[in-house]
Amino acid sequence: MRTSAVLDTARKKRLGQYFTPPRVGRLLAALADAESARTIIDPMVGSADLLRSCLEVGAEPDVLLGLDLDPLAVEQARAALDGVAGAEVAVGDAFSAELPSEQFDLVITNPPYIRYQSKGEVQGITVPSAESVRAGLLRAIEDRTELSEESRSLWTRAAKGYPGTSDVAVPAWMLSAALVREGGVLAVVAPQAWLSRNYAHYVRELLDRAFDVEAIVDDGDAAWFDDAQIRTQLVVARRRAVGEQVPGHSVVKARATRDLEVEGSLRGAFPSEAEVASALRVVSETTSVAVTRGLTARVEHKLSATSSGKEARVPAHVGAVLGIDSGEAPTRTLESYGWRSGQGIRTGANDFFYVSVDAGLARPASRWGIDSLPLPSSCLLPAVRRQSDLDDSLAVDLSQLDSRIVYLRGWVTSADLKRMGDGDVQVLPTAVSRWIAQAADSAFSAKDPSKLFPDLAAVATNVRNDRSGRPVSFWYQLPELATRHRPALFLGRVCGGRPKAFLNRSAVVVDANFSGLWEAERDAMPAEAMLALLNSSWVWANLEATCTLLGGGALKVEANDLRRLVLPDFSSKDVERLCRIGHDAMKAFSMEVQVAIDAVVAGAVAPKRGGIDAVALRGLAEQSLGHRSPL
């Protein structure tokens, strides 16, 4: 039987569909011991890639079920499973469909990544809203007759507690986990970010309390998915009674590179993915070992999914390449050096809150049709809005910035002055008041004409009233600027090339497009030394290994990623040297400066054996950049 279904790229993206390549599916199925499962389900089956993979590694289940809300994907799935005994694929939303009441030996899935904002229809398919997904998940949990009361309580708490801003993958994890029988296996394709992102806290808690994670395999080079260049991982966990602990339980954590793929299979030097899975199961070393070509692994004892990703540690791949074991690993963090990290200012409406300054005139976004505005100079704060605002030096040059953030605290329109009564404020020029009124009546986007600028989530929070109900601040007044909005150092949150840190001695405002850092203690490492450290190949290589990879090969560097950086324990002389080099780097960042930084950092990484190879360190970082850069 052949299918006529056609799944175009744009349609798949809107439905969060990133179908699993057969080579990846076979490895996951083999790790999940699909061969021994008698009942298997994929509640978000797509085109049945994972169910087919189970069969290809030897599974002969009595029951093989799939469900998907996309009729075209289901048509492909039925064609793929045509003639397979016990196979059944249905069209339906897993959160609202009537699922079998029995628990399953194996639940294997690659959840859809539909953003919470997505709703409406995609070519006739109703995309569930965040509210309907949560309600459906709670109903599904209640209908699981084989769940113990303790388990039902755990799952219900998770279903009620996860953030409404999560994408559908989070409740999909919860639903999938609820379908696994005790002793059964949950096998999931997931983005590597699940270990550290706040939105997945309740998922990790479920894993800690009701599962034993057996294996985690990282796609180190983001090579597994052609249509979504993002680092993914395979997670395999075995269900147990809630609260029970397995004595001596350990987790195999592995990292795959491009070299693992041989002729369309992820098998390295082995005959099959099943052989790879068997080899991973017997890994017992706590330091990384080579399992086969393109695959290294180690064992981690007493892994806590809830805390994983939060602690600072050398990424396994970095440690393996540089020959660093746990006893030699650095132990310092940004916080221990007196620094903190956070995101820059998020206005929620950049077309309003940012203007450019040209020939002394404040020029708003072109959408307003206004050449210039008589904004008071005190309301125009120099700002770094985009990475294109910066030049090749590593220090902000105030004279080169033409972006200004419109900061109207202490200023109101004449109409709003009447509304607030007495107040220690100044009245804005009439032309500015007209512009504010124009913006207040304008739709933020033509896609949603009903949502006006003042109604935007990040803008509406600017409105404040006193106890009597009178307004004391308005939508066009940004909140008080915090230290994180004017950080001493910052890095781009989305880096097309290598991550680069900049010094902000002028204390200009930094947009949310950047992750910032600032001194939190009196004895904090000097800013010039921290500038040099953050531009070292050590930090670069670690960020390449731990940060989220976006489509097109960009690296997303969040404040949380910076907090988790493992840094060398520098001597006072090392810090002095970094200060001097950082001062030079402010003027011009060259290869000579890079080499000088790396020499100091590499010498402090493993001092017991005289440091590590700075050239190898830089080569590792450059190789990672090459792997993620689009061809």
Side-chain angles (χ1 to χ4, degrees):
M1 175 180 176
R2 298 189 66 175
T3 178
S4 61
V6 177
L7 300 171
D8 64 84
T9 302
R11 182 177 186 276
K12 288 167 64 178
K13 185 174 182 180
R14 289 191 64 190
L15 290 173
Q17 297 172 331
Y18 296 95
F19 297 153
T20 310
R23 66 193 190 286
V24 179
R26 287 193 299 269
L27 180 55
L28 179 61
L31 286 167
D33 195 21
E35 185 177 0
S36 64
R38 307 311 307 166
T39 58
I40 303 174
I41 187 173
D42 184 345
M44 295 85 183
V45 74
S47 54
D49 305 297
L50 289 174
L51 294 185
R52 190 71 202 174
S53 294
C54 290
L55 300 175
E56 290 174 358
V57 299
E60 296 180 349
D62 301 319
V63 177
L64 189 69
L65 299 182
L67 191 70
D68 203 278
L69 55 74
D70 181 3
L72 292 186
V74 168
E75 185 181 341
Q76 286 193 347
R78 287 171 175 163
L81 300 174
D82 186 37
V84 177
E88 182 180 348
V89 182
V91 177
D93 170 18
F95 297 101
S96 59
E98 185 174 344
L99 297 167
S101 59
E102 298 81 5
Q103 302 295 97
F104 289 81
D105 293 336
L106 173 59
V107 179
I108 186 167
T109 194
N110 177 0
Y113 291 88
I114 305 174
R115 292 301 307 275
Y116 72 95
Q117 300 100 327
S118 301
K119 50 188 170 183
E121 291 192 351
V122 178
Q123 297 184 9
I125 302 170
T126 300
V127 178
S129 66
E131 295 78 12
S132 66
V133 166
R134 192 189 303 272
L137 176 60
L138 287 166
R139 285 193 301 271
I141 293 168
E142 186 62 32
D143 291 343
R144 306 310 301 161
T145 57
E146 295 184 28
L147 283 183
S148 67
E149 285 306 308
E150 188 175 11
S151 296
R152 196 184 313 280
S153 175
L154 172 63
W155 258 267
T156 299
R157 177 177 176 273
K160 291 181 176 179
Y162 74 85
T165 53
S166 302
D167 60 40
V168 174
V170 170
W173 264 83
M174 295 178 182
L175 177 63
S176 299
L179 300 176
V180 184
R181 70 166 177 82
E182 288 188 12
V185 173
L186 174 67
V188 183
V189 181
Q192 290 181 31
W194 78 280
L195 277 173
S196 59
R197 296 298 180 253
N198 291 334
Y199 62 73
H201 167 80
Y202 285 97
V203 171
R204 297 193 299 270
E205 186 176 65
L206 279 178
L207 288 176
D208 272 351
R209 296 194 57 193
F211 288 84
D212 290 318
V213 177
E214 294 185 340
I216 299 173
V217 181
D218 291 338
D219 171 15
D221 293 338
W224 288 349
F225 286 80
D226 295 332
D227 56 351
Q229 193 178 27
I230 183 172
R231 285 196 179 92
T232 52
Q233 59 186 193
L234 309 180
V235 182
V236 176
R238 192 169 298 275
R239 178 79 159 88
R240 56 171 164 75
V242 173
E244 285 187 358
Q245 297 291 330
V246 176
H249 174 70
S250 60
V251 180
V252 175
K253 298 190 72 174
R255 182 184 188 276
T257 67
R258 281 179 168 81
D259 293 334
L260 182 63
E261 183 171 350
V262 177
E263 298 177 347
S265 295
L266 297 177
R267 56 185 174 87
F270 288 114
S272 67
E273 286 92 351
E275 295 287 337
V276 174
S278 296
L280 282 172
R281 292 191 188 102
V282 298
V283 171
S284 58
E285 293 84 351
T286 56
T287 55
S288 292
V289 296
V291 176
T292 185
R293 183 173 63 245
L295 187 68
T296 56
R298 63 181 173 84
V299 161
E300 184 166 334
H301 298 295
K302 297 181 180 179
L303 173 77
S304 168
T306 303
S307 62
S308 289
K310 294 181 179 179
E311 72 278 7
R313 64 181 306 155
V314 178
H317 173 57
V318 174
V321 171
L322 299 176
I324 304 169
D325 63 35
S326 57
E328 294 177 307
T331 57
R332 300 292 297 269
T333 63
L334 280 174
E335 185 176 359
S336 76
Y337 277 120
W339 284 76
R340 292 183 183 170
S341 180
Q343 191 175 349
I345 189 166
R346 179 172 177 257
T347 69
N350 285 352
D351 277 356
F352 176 82
F353 287 107
Y354 279 102
V355 299
S356 61
V357 174
D358 179 28
L361 298 176
R363 303 189 186 280
S366 59
R367 67 172 293 170
W368 305 117
I370 300 171
D371 181 63
S372 64
L373 283 167
L375 282 158
S377 59
S378 63
C379 299
L380 298 173
L381 305 183
V384 176
R385 180 180 175 185
R386 308 180 184 90
Q387 294 189 52
S388 58
D389 292 339
L390 303 164
D391 56 26
D392 293 334
S393 66
L394 296 185
V396 174
D397 185 348
L398 191 60
S399 67
Q400 298 299 313
L401 293 180
D402 61 9
S403 290
R404 297 290 185 270
I405 199 160
V406 179
Y407 193 66
L408 299 177
R409 293 194 72 83
W411 294 81
V412 297
T413 66
S414 56
D416 285 336
L417 179 63
K418 295 176 182 177
R419 292 175 56 204
M420 69 185 301
D422 295 333
D424 185 17
V425 294
Q426 299 181 72
V427 179
L428 288 162
T430 301
V432 176
S433 295
R434 284 199 301 265
W435 172 56
I436 291 173
Q438 177 187 356
D441 290 332
S442 298
F444 177 69
S445 169
K447 294 180 180 179
D448 189 359
S450 64
K451 181 165 286 188
L452 306 182
F453 268 72
D455 301 328
L456 298 171
V459 175
T461 56
N462 296 337
V463 177
R464 293 284 188 274
N465 296 323
D466 62 19
R467 293 183 178 181
S468 68
R470 283 192 168 189
V472 293
S473 68
F474 303 91
W475 71 267
Y476 51 85
Q477 296 173 320
L478 290 169
E480 292 281 358
L481 294 178
T483 304
R484 66 185 178 90
H485 299 144
R486 285 172 155 167
L489 294 160
F490 58 89
L491 297 87
R493 288 181 67 222
V494 178
C495 306
R498 66 164 292 177
K500 188 183 293 185
F502 296 88
L503 189 68
N504 183 25
R505 279 301 188 205
S506 301
V508 302
V509 179
V510 173
D511 188 80
N513 286 324
F514 299 90
S515 294
L517 304 97
W518 61 93
E519 302 102 319
E521 305 292 342
R522 289 184 178 180
D523 59 348
M525 176 184 280
E528 289 81 1
M530 185 59 70
L531 175 70
L533 173 57
L534 291 174
N535 284 295
S536 67
S537 293
W538 171 261
V539 167
W540 179 12
N542 277 266
L543 291 177
E544 291 283 356
T546 58
C547 294
T548 301
L549 195 60
L550 304 177
L555 196 69
K556 190 172 186 180
V557 181
E558 301 276 22
N560 194 44
D561 298 316
L562 298 173
R563 297 184 195 113
R564 291 187 290 125
L565 277 172
V566 179
L567 304 174
D569 188 7
F570 294 108
S571 67
S572 58
K573 289 185 178 179
D574 287 337
V575 173
E576 290 175 4
R577 291 173 64 194
L578 288 174
C579 273
R580 290 194 296 270
I581 300 169
H583 190 270
D584 293 338
M586 290 167 51
K587 304 169 187 174
F589 188 65
S590 62
M591 179 54 68
E592 183 180 359
V593 170
Q594 180 74 75
V595 170
I597 294 172
D598 289 345
V600 177
V601 176
V605 167
K608 292 181 180 179
R609 57 182 172 93
I612 59 174
D613 186 340
V615 175
L617 174 62
R618 191 157 54 253
L620 172 60
E622 290 171 348
Q623 182 184 53
S624 298
L625 173 61
H627 283 170
R628 68 175 167 90
S629 297
L631 298 176

